[in-house]
Amino acid sequence: MDKKRLRAFRDKLLERREALFRQVMEAEMRSRERDMEETQDPADMAANAYAKELMVSMSDNDRRLLRLIDEALQRIEEGEYGLCVNCGEPVQDKRLEALPWARYCLRCQDLYERGLLNQEEE
């Protein structure tokens, strides 16, 4: 991959990483604020508990995506970006455009999703 395209993917990854990091931090702050609220109504308490659970779940997904982005940035530094981490074949350009943090080519992603890929689990 040429340096210009690699730089564009790196910038895209860094931009997405910053946005996700902000979302995670904001979700954690909202969760703390809700914990501090004094709520007397049991319905409000239930709604707050549900909202907190939802934010924690979203936050976990965001953290996972942050980790995938960090791994992609590391692959850029190591000169391995754009190569499938399983088979070493190039990851399709359209796939990288859609998911710049993609670790696998389409064939290996299919194997991973079906549980047929022997890869260390996140």
Side-chain angles (χ1 to χ4, degrees):
M1 184 177 301
D2 66 38
K3 289 183 180 183
K4 185 177 179 181
R5 287 203 65 211
L6 201 57
R7 195 169 330 142
F9 280 120
R10 182 180 175 273
D11 291 345
K12 196 177 208 180
L13 286 163
L14 288 171
E15 183 179 310
R16 179 70 171 163
R17 184 184 191 287
E18 183 178 325
L20 276 172
F21 187 74
R22 257 194 324 271
Q23 285 178 338
V24 169
M25 297 307 290
E26 288 171 5
E28 287 179 1
M29 286 178 56
R30 283 193 302 267
S31 177
R32 286 188 196 120
E33 288 172 1
R34 283 203 169 127
D35 285 345
M36 297 173 130
E37 291 177 6
E38 292 186 27
T39 308
Q40 301 296 329
D41 184 2
D44 286 343
M45 288 173 37
N48 284 343
Y50 174 76
K52 182 177 179 179
E53 184 177 323
L54 183 62
M55 282 192 288
V56 168
S57 173
M58 287 187 329
S59 183
D60 286 344
N61 291 334
D62 289 343
R63 282 188 184 97
R64 181 177 181 277
L65 183 53
L66 278 172
R67 190 177 47 73
L68 291 173
I69 290 171
D70 286 342
E71 288 175 6
L73 290 168
Q74 184 65 36
R75 287 193 302 276
I76 288 174
E77 294 297 317
E78 295 170 354
E80 298 173 0
Y81 182 77
L83 301 176
C84 177
V85 298
N86 183 58
C87 69
E89 292 295 317
V91 176
Q92 298 80 355
D93 286 342
K94 286 184 179 182
R95 181 162 171 72
L96 288 175
E97 287 293 333
L99 301 168
W101 51 84
R103 301 181 333 175
Y104 303 116
C105 64
L106 287 175
R107 185 178 59 81
C108 291
Q109 182 67 37
D110 180 55
L111 292 172
Y112 175 78
E113 289 174 1
R114 292 190 293 154
L116 301 174
L117 189 66
N118 287 333
Q119 184 70 25
E120 288 183 23
E121 184 58 30
E122 295 86 270

